[in-house]
Amino acid sequence: MKKLGNAIWDARNARGLTQEALAEMVDITLSHMQHIENGHRNPSVKVLFQLAQCLDLSLDALVFPDRPECPAIHTDGLTQEEIGALARLADLMRNRRAP
């Protein structure tokens, strides 16, 4: 969680955005954004997709910031319905994992 928070913090600062501005862009509270960046909470899949889009990053760049050799997966060109379908699929897969 801390690496994800650091990657979001780095990308946000590189773009000159405040936590408040980014939180508004992805429709979450400032407090929630602070918890994500501090590594105290993970964002939902939907918020993760929105963060990647707003920060113009691939999901793998956010989730695996130490692995630049990973192929980029961009949400550019996807409709909100397609992003929603991917988010629902990821949630379904996460909920089906064995305990």
Side-chain angles (χ1 to χ4, degrees):
M1 285 193 297
K2 188 65 178 162
K3 284 186 180 185
L4 175 61
N6 287 339
I8 293 167
W9 186 91
D10 288 341
R12 177 180 59 75
N13 282 302
R15 284 155 185 78
L17 294 170
T18 64
Q19 282 183 330
E20 187 174 15
L22 185 56
E24 282 183 27
M25 292 169 73
V26 297
D27 197 28
I28 61 174
T29 66
L30 174 59
S31 174
H32 189 57
M33 176 58 65
Q34 291 168 334
H35 284 294
I36 291 170
E37 284 192 2
N38 290 329
H40 299 136
R41 285 191 200 147
N42 273 327
S44 68
V45 172
K46 179 182 176 185
V47 169
L48 187 61
F49 271 99
Q50 290 171 323
L51 286 167
Q53 222 170 12
C54 291
L55 296 171
D56 194 30
L57 292 174
S58 63
L59 289 175
D60 59 321
L62 283 178
V63 178
F64 304 110
D66 297 332
R67 292 184 4 190
E69 72 280 357
C70 291
I73 302 170
H74 293 278
T75 58
D76 295 348
L78 294 180
T79 66
Q80 286 299 322
E81 292 80 19
E82 291 167 330
I83 292 171
L86 287 171
R88 287 189 300 277
L89 177 61
D91 285 339
L92 178 64
M93 296 303 291
R94 183 178 58 223
N95 291 334
R96 286 190 175 192
R97 271 193 269 176

